Amino acid sequence: MSATDVKRTLSFTQAADDDLTIYQRSKPGRRAFSPPPLDVPERPLDELIPAPLRRSEAARLPEVSEPEIVRHYNRLSKRNFDLDTGFYPLGSCTMKHNPKLHERVAALPGNAKLHPFQAPADAQGALELMWRLQYSLGEISGLPHVSLQPSAGSHGELAGVLLTRAYHEDRGEHRTKVLTPDTAHGTNPATVTMAGYEVVKVGTDANGNVDIEDLRAKATTDVACLMLTNPSTIGLFEPQIKEIAEIVHGVGATLYYDGANLNAIMGICRPGDMGFDIVHFNLHKSFTQPHGGGGPGSGPIAVSDRIEPYIPRPQVVRRPAETDDDVAGQLASNGEAIGRLRGFQGNYGVFVRSYAYIRSLGASGLKEASEVAVLNANYLLAKLRLEGVLEYLPAAYDRLCMHEFVLSGAPMKRELEIKTLDLAKRLLDHGVHPPTVYFPLIVDEALLIEPTETETRETLDGFAAIVAEVLREAKEDPEIARNAPYSAPVRRLDEAAAARNPVLRQPL
């Protein structure tokens, strides 16, 4: 057997081994840990766990050795692409670097081991951190009242629309519609439907902003709210935001701010000053929190004075201590509020990381982060133009962007015969996570790119060069991109079939 054959055989064997599940590795009798002999009096199992609560048969757990466990999970971890691995220009919701300092702070025993049922009197440090975080978010948003309860951005959206419902119902008004731009995040219309309203889409004008005349026509007295992202998912600031607020408030509706793109304006301008009544934050995005496994997240909301009576409770408040033994931080309730959105007070570990981020940077640092995010996006767009990329991937709206921008792959599809999805898959072979594809929906073959503020100029230059190389390659042989990726753990998947016929449970 030649050296090449041996190498091919070893590679095949390794690949086959990597495909085994932990249950397929299981062999009867194998153990990763053997406990020492019992050195305390043994008690009958019935005294420890009542019989009705015990399993009737042993759990079907894999029987494997310790090295097998370690290798199995190490192999799985290496299949992931993350910010610690390479460039991750995923718009529209910021996916930024998470400083490791924040992980150490969140892992301190007083933070990591605090029990949710801890009495407020014995959790004053945590309550003060939460109170200070509420105050900081209020300053950043320009709205004074903050609830930390929502567990994600979509959860914060739902809270915002439910607050709108409570506000109108308290005034004896029955409103049935909520306006959303046709560029809105997909969670916006989903949230509107969940809250029992009808979704009404507002168009986008030729410059990529809200079509003011369309908004004016659709802003009727049966509209409860306009949900808006500023800058928008196209990465453009709404220069007519004051007029938009006047139109919405003119018919008695509320103005809701989707905070997914707050990373572009922190410390520069505030949603509350623009006229928004309700804001949600993505703490796990704008204020750093690892995204592994889809969570945990946190989507606090900030509201204006007129919405404050309905804010989710309990909420952390501060009162002067009458004695040295008094509790200064406490959880307050309110009978008019929309009620709890979750158990306990929220994802506390996310609070710790976000508060550490805010305090580490301060007001000037948050402003600088936004400024550099906007600078990086505009630099990258200019660099792609210099590399000739915009010939096949033109900007959807050719103007100065904010923290992200949208390209259209329509010319690439027509002239090079590869789709945006093909380009995205080929980027994986170059060690780059693909940007968001096919969103916003109003852009044909959309590619939404957000470099964030933490990437170096060399990284941005390298990304532009990679995209240009993929396009040059496609000119010669489009089949290469059509069949990518080649270096990923799995090849091109049938995503349409997976969406229609998902395998939700694997038999053991």
Side-chain angles (χ1 to χ4, degrees):
M1 183 180 291
S2 68
T4 302
D5 290 335
V6 171
K7 185 176 181 180
R8 186 181 297 115
T9 301
L10 290 174
S11 177
F12 176 80
T13 303
Q14 179 65 41
D17 187 55
D18 284 351
D19 287 339
L20 295 177
T21 69
I22 194 69
Y23 287 93
Q24 290 170 322
R25 298 176 190 280
S26 177
K27 300 294 180 184
R30 284 187 183 167
R31 293 290 183 271
F33 171 73
S34 297
L38 194 66
D39 60 354
V40 296
E42 186 171 354
R43 293 175 59 187
L45 190 57
D46 286 337
E47 293 182 12
L48 301 174
I49 304 176
L53 300 181
R54 296 203 305 266
R55 293 178 177 273
S56 58
E57 56 185 55
R60 292 179 291 172
L61 299 177
E63 299 179 65
V64 290
S65 66
E66 183 171 313
E68 286 180 298
I69 293 175
V70 173
R71 291 169 186 162
H72 174 71
Y73 285 104
N74 265 286
R75 277 191 291 264
L76 291 180
S77 70
K78 291 173 183 176
R79 293 186 174 198
N80 291 333
F81 191 100
D82 51 65
L83 277 164
D84 292 343
T85 302
F87 188 37
Y88 210 109
L90 187 70
S92 164
C93 300
T94 298
M95 303 284 274
K96 64 202 283 179
H97 172 70
N98 304 293
K100 303 311 177 210
L101 169 65
H102 306 166
E103 296 304 300
R104 293 197 291 272
V105 173
L108 291 172
N111 291 324
K113 296 184 178 181
L114 182 66
H115 196 283
F117 278 127
Q118 190 74 43
D122 299 323
Q124 287 294 288
L127 288 171
E128 179 162 357
L129 184 148
M130 293 164 68
W131 183 83
R132 288 178 178 270
L133 177 60
Q134 289 175 182
Y135 178 82
S136 299
L137 296 176
E139 284 292 303
I140 291 168
S141 66
L143 294 169
H145 311 287
V146 177
S147 170
L148 300 177
Q149 277 205 15
S151 300
S154 54
H155 207 197
E157 287 180 24
L158 180 61
V161 179
L162 292 178
L163 286 170
T164 290
R165 176 179 287 283
Y167 169 76
H168 289 305
E169 288 181 349
D170 197 35
R171 295 162 60 87
E173 300 173 350
H174 179 66
R175 297 180 179 239
T176 59
K177 300 175 182 176
V178 170
L179 305 179
T180 67
D182 56 6
T183 60
H185 293 105
T187 50
N188 286 184
T191 294
V192 172
T193 302
M194 286 183 65
Y197 285 107
E198 176 190 347
V199 180
V200 178
K201 289 188 177 182
V202 178
T204 299
D205 65 20
N207 293 318
N209 294 126
V210 169
D211 186 325
I212 293 293
E213 294 310 313
D214 191 37
L215 172 64
R216 202 183 305 276
K218 292 174 179 175
T220 53
T221 54
D222 58 350
V223 168
C225 176
L226 167 64
M227 302 180 76
L228 193 65
T229 304
N230 194 24
S232 66
T233 60
I234 301 175
L236 302 175
F237 192 84
E238 295 284 352
Q240 297 172 291
I241 186 60
K242 284 291 188 180
E243 185 177 357
I244 290 172
E246 290 172 2
I247 293 171
V248 172
H249 291 152
V251 295
T254 64
L255 188 56
Y256 168 89
Y257 184 87
D258 181 330
N261 293 342
L262 189 69
N263 203 56
I265 64 168
M266 293 184 302
I268 300 172
C269 56
R270 308 191 303 177
D273 298 336
M274 299 177 201
F276 285 91
D277 301 288
I278 305 165
V279 170
H280 98 253
F281 307 85
N282 287 342
L283 293 190
H284 50 293
K285 294 178 181 285
S286 303
F287 300 96
T288 78
Q289 158 75 19
H291 290 68
S298 182
I301 53 171
V303 304
S304 60
D305 288 335
R306 66 173 178 158
I307 305 296
E308 186 274 337
Y310 316 101
I311 201 168
R313 302 296 202 279
Q315 180 186 22
V316 182
V317 298
R318 191 172 208 170
R319 62 175 174 78
E322 296 177 2
T323 69
D324 290 341
D325 297 327
D326 264 5
V327 176
Q330 60 180 357
L331 299 171
S333 297
N334 186 325
E336 295 179 314
I338 62 173
R340 276 187 178 273
L341 291 168
R342 56 159 295 145
F344 307 114
Q345 311 316 316
N347 286 323
Y348 180 67
V350 184
F351 301 160
V352 175
R353 293 175 177 90
S354 300
Y355 183 66
Y357 180 72
I358 292 170
R359 290 304 300 265
S360 295
L361 294 184
S364 62
L366 291 175
K367 180 181 179 182
E368 183 181 2
S370 292
E371 290 173 337
V372 176
V374 173
L375 175 63
N376 277 358
N378 281 281
Y379 173 82
L380 181 55
L381 183 57
K383 187 69 177 179
L384 290 168
R385 190 187 306 275
L386 288 174
E387 291 280 359
V389 169
L390 299 195
E391 178 183 353
Y392 300 102
L393 287 161
Y397 298 92
D398 197 4
R399 49 184 271 212
L400 283 176
C401 63
M402 295 295 286
H403 64 309
E404 62 188 358
F405 54 89
V406 182
L407 306 179
S408 170
M412 177 182 67
K413 180 180 179 181
R414 182 176 58 252
E415 298 176 32
L416 301 183
E417 299 180 344
I418 67 170
K419 298 181 293 185
T420 293
L421 181 64
D422 299 325
L423 171 66
K425 296 296 186 182
R426 187 61 175 138
L427 290 177
L428 290 168
D429 293 325
H430 291 270
V432 172
H433 193 285
T436 297
V437 296
Y438 301 121
F439 180 82
L441 299 177
I442 66 169
V443 177
D444 190 17
E445 291 288 320
L447 192 72
L448 176 55
I449 302 172
E450 180 185 6
T452 77
E453 70 276 11
T454 52
E455 299 298 342
T456 65
R457 178 175 176 176
E458 291 79 11
T459 299
L460 303 183
D461 289 345
F463 174 73
I466 288 169
V467 177
E469 171 59 28
V470 173
L471 295 180
R472 284 193 294 270
E473 179 184 75
K475 287 182 184 179
E476 300 295 327
D477 186 0
E479 284 298 318
I480 296 175
R482 288 177 192 155
N483 293 299
Y486 301 92
S487 59
V490 294
R491 296 292 300 278
R492 188 75 68 98
L493 302 176
D494 188 341
E495 297 175 6
R500 291 183 174 89
N501 301 293
V503 178
L504 302 179
R505 178 168 295 179
Q506 182 69 33
L508 304 180

